[in-house]
Amino acid sequence: MRIGIPAETLAGEARVAATPETVKKLIAQGHTVVVQADAGLRADAPDADYIAVGATIGSREEAFAAEMVLKVRPPTTEEIGLMKPGTVLVGMLDPFNADGLQAMTAAGLTAFALEAAPRTSRAQSMDVLSSQANIGGYKAVILAANIYQRFMPMLMTAAGTVKAARVVVLGAGVAGLQAIATAKRLGAVIEASDVRPAVKEQVESLGAKFIDVPFETDEERDIAQGVGGYARPMPASWMQRQSALVAERVKQANVVISTALIPGRRAPVLITEDMVRSMKPGSVIIDMAAAQGGNCPLTEAGKIVVKHGVTLVGETNLPALVAADASALYARNVLDFLKLVFDKEKGFVVNREDDIVASCLMCRDGQLLRKTA
Ligand code: NAD
């Protein structure tokens, strides 16, 4: 197949969907690859590295004219217009954006949204949410440490003792657990909260304290188990008790990293304005849920703002700030997914019996096929 790798155009998006490493493997499998000029530049993958593994460098139009297009971000209307009906598109295509899916369907694309893959062991090597959230969690702590005007570790020096930073992590999924691990490496004292009781052990094994919000009814306990590993909105009674406990912990914190998300919904509000007001001046909040409305109502998506003496970071694309490694991991996820849609004899195949293929397939032949949970 002829595979195209366009440059991403969203502001601040520095990642690329295929690296010289994965392009080399695609070419070894018999594909031809055309990479848009400078597509990998911001991810430390210059054109020369793609040429060295056998790719050709082409225009934006040539990349989108390929039979299969690999992308990081959902295509813009203009990009959809550059693809012929029948083009196979693979990327993070935002499966919850109905208008976007409709546009791809109407254009006759065969589109695979990798974020929709099930969170199963077999899908792990193509789990783009995990590979990118892991990087986001790491970078969130590095950003916080950079903004915070004090040390993260405890230091005993001849000039006196410096206290360790207190870090609170809200939401201990992939990003939150990596944030805990990174903050621990920097010597911070960490506490974490999540609705899913299963994460308590993981939080503790990383050396953080779990903020335990007891369940008072079977209904609360049941909802907290989530669906497919994902959280569900918790009853108001539980949220109030969590809020009271989180408020106490946030008041003592120097850094808060919030990552709480519920797929397809607005992020839950966990840090109220009163909680921000209660924090010490110079504290830092990295709101990783900024793109989904934020875990704090004071967060401004895409901006760094100071309110009540606290710096709130609303960066919406932390993985793009680690573009080389984020691209390397993303490109390997894509390569692994492609193994499911290429057959040695038959070439490109769509096996809808395969749960990963079926979950990721958003549309084909003008038909919207997204499976909703
Ligand atoms: P996510 O990004 O959807 O959400 C982040 C975290 O926020 C989750 O841990 C969620 O429970 C938490 N959260 C939601 N509402 C909250 C609230 N009100 N208060 C506190 N926390 C709240 O999650 P994710 O990192 O994508 O992980 C989702 C699931 O997928 C997890 O169960 C994870 O273990 C699982 N997973 C499985 C695999 C695999 O088996 N292949 C790989 C990665 C992740």
Side-chain angles (χ1 to χ4, degrees), residues 122-138:
R122 192 170 76 93
Q124 245 172 350
S125 63
M126 53 200 89
D127 184 344
V128 293
L129 291 181
S130 289
S131 72
Q132 304 304 296
N134 203 0
I135 291 180
Y138 159 82

Side-chain angles (χ1 to χ4, degrees), residues 59 109-110 113 141 149 155 175 187 203 227 246 255 295 299 325 330 338:
S59 65
L109 306 181
T110 295
V141 173
Q149 292 298 308
L155 277 192
V203 164
V227 193
V246 164
V255 171
N295 291 138
T299 303
D325 274 340
Y330 179 75
L338 294 184

Side-chain angles (χ1 to χ4, degrees), residues 97-185:
N97 178 355
D99 292 344
L101 294 188
Q102 199 49 56
M104 289 183 254
T105 308
L109 306 181
T110 295
F112 293 101
L114 298 181
E115 312 99 299
R119 307 302 280 273
T120 55
S121 305
R122 192 170 76 93
Q124 245 172 350
S125 63
M126 53 200 89
D127 184 344
V128 293
L129 291 181
S130 289
S131 72
Q132 304 304 296
N134 203 0
I135 291 180
Y138 159 82
K139 192 65 179 181
V141 173
I142 301 300
L143 259 185
N146 198 29
I147 293 169
Y148 183 52
Q149 292 298 308
R150 297 171 189 270
F151 269 108
M152 291 292 255
M154 196 264 274
L155 277 192
M156 290 167 85
T157 78
T161 300
V162 172
K163 278 193 198 160
R166 301 188 79 88
V167 174
V168 169
V169 176
L170 300 175
V174 178
L177 290 173
Q178 181 56 255
I180 294 171
T182 306
K184 189 77 192 168
R185 283 182 211 121

Side-chain angles (χ1 to χ4, degrees), residues 118-121 123-124 127 129-130 133 170-175 193-196 199 202 228-232 234 238-239 242 259-263 268 270:
R119 307 302 280 273
T120 55
S121 305
Q124 245 172 350
D127 184 344
L129 291 181
S130 289
L170 300 175
V174 178
S193 168
D194 201 297
V195 290
R196 294 179 298 115
V199 302
Q202 295 163 11
Y230 290 112
R232 290 198 283 161
M234 288 298 285
W238 187 90
M239 289 295 285
Q242 182 201 34
T259 78
L261 290 176
I262 297 168
L270 302 181

Side-chain angles (χ1 to χ4, degrees), residues 45-53 57:
D47 290 350
D49 290 5
Y50 289 103
I51 294 170
V53 296
I57 301 300

Side-chain angles (χ1 to χ4, degrees), residues 211-214 240-250:
I211 304 171
D212 232 329
V213 185
Q240 275 162 15
R241 295 201 304 283
Q242 182 201 34
S243 185
L245 281 177
V246 164
E248 274 173 37
R249 306 326 307 152
V250 164

